[in-house]
Amino acid sequence: MTDSASAQEQPHAAPAAPVAAPVVAESAAAVATAAPADEAGAAQPQRKGGSRRGGRNRRKPEGRPAPEGAAEAAAPGAAPRAPQRVHPALEQLAALYPHLFGAVFRPLKRGIFQDILAAHPELFEREALKVALGLHTRSTRYLQSVAAGDKRHDLQGQPVEAMAPEHVHHALLEVYRRKKARATEDLLPKLRNRMIAAFEASGLTREDYTARVASRDESANALLEEAFADWAARNAKDEALLRAFEASGQTLDAFADMYGLVPRTVGQQIERARRLAAARAQASGAAEPVVSAGHSD
């Protein structure tokens, strides 16, 4: 990706920390000198008597987490980092486009940097806008919207393009890495479930999906394989349930009651098994070799 607002989701070289997602960063043309973003660089809900982002010089509240992407890596007991001031361009963007930079962050279309400059040639200084977008798009709130698979939006707030599967995957890993540093519970099961959901939403085969999202971070690749193992085990259970249901000749409610199961859950499992069977049949049909007419040995 080369656009200035979306290249942050591209993976870097494998990070040193275990199970760390590829670092999410802007392209060199956009934020070559930008520091890692935190919630201070993210638009905040409008406060009475103040700007949307609280003003340039407002300091973060006491006890607020240190900058994302940096504080998590700090050694325990290290001196707290100095509070960061909100980038003034982010305040301007939040005022101009609250549907993108306001209380809810939405993924930005590729080329949004050029669109903003074209719409406001006298308002934004080019380098300052690059840094501001870098701070915004590396914030956890923005990455969460990418990880959710939301579509990219233009300046009018209209969805204009789907999020690439690899961007969703790497955003999931990066958000997990940041939350893991402060979590008191095991976040891996939730991460694997979300990875499975992202894979299924992509519509790709397992092989094609792996080819697109795999990185040089072996720990991240291992997490993907663990998610696929969970997916395969779930599919096996769903298929067994489908076979038992079809062999029973019972209605869904009667079948669920017979095994002490919840009908709605059973219905979801059966539907998943049928979709998977249909997808396999379609893939098998597409893979059948075509024999050339008139060919003989």
Side-chain angles (χ1 to χ4, degrees), residues 66 71 74-82:
R81 303 173 72 92

Side-chain angles (χ1 to χ4, degrees), residues 45-55 58:
Q46 183 71 31
R47 291 182 174 88
K48 184 176 180 181
S51 70
R52 181 176 299 274
R53 291 179 177 269
R58 170 165 285 185

Side-chain angles (χ1 to χ4, degrees), residues 156-261:
Q156 288 69 48
Q158 298 301 312
V160 293
E161 57 183 321
M163 185 65 64
E166 56 269 29
H167 295 167
V168 175
H169 177 78
H170 293 312
L172 279 170
L173 288 170
E174 179 64 12
V175 171
Y176 162 76
R177 182 187 69 81
R178 295 181 184 187
K179 289 187 174 182
K180 179 176 178 287
R182 300 188 296 267
T184 57
E185 61 177 314
D186 183 7
L187 301 179
L188 279 175
K190 292 181 180 178
L191 173 64
R192 290 195 295 265
N193 286 337
R194 296 195 65 187
M195 292 171 78
I196 291 172
F199 158 63
E200 292 180 327
S202 73
L204 298 172
T205 65
R206 175 173 174 171
E207 293 73 19
D208 290 342
Y209 187 82
T210 301
R212 292 187 65 165
V213 308
S215 70
R216 289 175 289 179
D217 183 353
E218 292 304 323
S219 60
N221 295 338
L223 276 177
L224 177 61
E225 289 305 310
E226 290 175 10
F228 277 136
D230 288 352
W231 175 70
R234 189 200 69 183
N235 289 343
K237 292 180 180 178
D238 291 348
E239 290 169 344
L241 188 68
L242 175 61
R243 289 193 297 269
F245 170 67
E246 292 177 338
S248 72
Q250 302 282 339
T251 65
L252 178 63
D253 287 345
F255 176 79
D257 183 66
M258 183 168 55
Y259 289 97
L261 303 173

